[in-house]
Amino acid sequence: MIRKGALVKTGMMAAFTLAPVVASAHYWGAPLSGLYIGAGGGGARNRNLSSSVPGPFVNFKRTRPAWKAFIGYAFNRFFAIQGGYQNLGTDSIGTPVGSEKIRNRGYDVNGLLSFPFTPVFSLFVEGGGSRFRTRTVTPVSTTVTHDGTHPDYGAGVQINVARHLALRGQWQQFLIPHNDTQFYSGSLLFRF
């Protein structure tokens, strides 16, 4: 019997593999430069989440729902500047005195370098900085807030499905102290 998770992963891989073939039949040529907006969702995974309570209370590799919205400007087919809002979800750590909740929200500004292989399909890398607020609610209902600016980077694939629409699959790494987070997402992008 096939597990649901394996079936969903196979379906997503097939969709991203076949989308360029299907899209090329209806492709009118995307604008080479200009303004674009987008939004998407996926999962945020912590690699190093640590508690404010003293002791060995660390949660590795827990994935939770996350979403983002972004706006950017493409100068040509190869380079763009993009800024966005990231909601990396809320996580919790069990401690001897109760559960501690940690959430990350923030903004990023990145440069994107694209490698178009066809008019429909391209790969891209990105890098820049992010400003995140990490809010921790301790087991005794005390709130601790940390604001900071940190580097981030990522990579992804973009598939142009129509003149003004594109799909993106993306991985991002946010280097937030004590909450090192990876964000895997799928997004819909609209070009003006």
Side-chain angles (χ1 to χ4, degrees):
M1 174 140 185
I2 298 175
R3 294 184 341 194
K4 276 187 192 178
L7 190 59
V8 169
K9 288 178 184 176
T10 303
M12 288 177 65
M13 286 174 36
F16 272 103
T17 303
L18 294 175
V21 176
V22 174
S24 62
H26 304 287
Y27 182 69
W28 300 290
L32 298 180
S33 63
L35 187 68
Y36 64 87
I37 59 171
R45 172 178 275 193
N46 282 310
R47 294 196 314 169
N48 182 22
L49 180 65
S50 58
S51 172
S52 64
V53 176
F57 312 114
V58 180
N59 172 16
F60 288 101
K61 297 186 178 176
R62 171 181 272 172
T63 303
R64 65 218 182 274
W67 63 272
K68 65 181 176 178
F70 54 90
I71 183 169
Y73 186 85
F75 295 94
N76 52 43
R77 295 182 346 171
F78 305 103
F79 184 70
I81 296 285
Q82 178 178 295
Y85 174 78
Q86 320 282 338
N87 182 328
L88 299 180
T90 301
D91 208 340
S92 62
I93 299 175
T95 70
V97 292
S99 181
E100 181 172 285
K101 298 203 177 302
I102 301 170
R103 70 179 190 184
N104 280 319
R105 313 281 189 270
Y107 301 90
D108 67 344
V109 176
N110 290 333
L112 274 75
L113 185 60
S114 295
F115 305 95
F117 290 98
T118 71
V120 175
F121 177 79
S122 63
L123 297 177
F124 64 90
V125 293
E126 67 174 315
S130 57
R131 175 85 178 163
F132 269 87
R133 170 168 285 181
T134 301
R135 180 168 288 166
T136 303
V137 179
T138 66
V140 292
S141 298
T142 304
T143 301
V144 180
T145 302
H146 296 284
D147 292 313
T149 303
H150 312 287
D152 69 90
Y153 55 90
V157 59
Q158 180 168 310
I159 299 169
N160 299 316
V161 294
R163 178 170 174 76
H164 295 284
L165 290 177
L167 296 174
R168 273 189 185 172
Q170 189 171 2
W171 162 81
Q172 288 175 277
Q173 174 72 59
F174 295 98
L175 301 175
I176 306 166
H178 306 296
N179 201 351
D180 203 11
T181 303
Q182 295 181 349
F183 184 15
Y184 302 89
S185 64
S187 301
L188 181 64
L189 180 147
F190 178 80
R191 286 182 288 256
F192 292 94

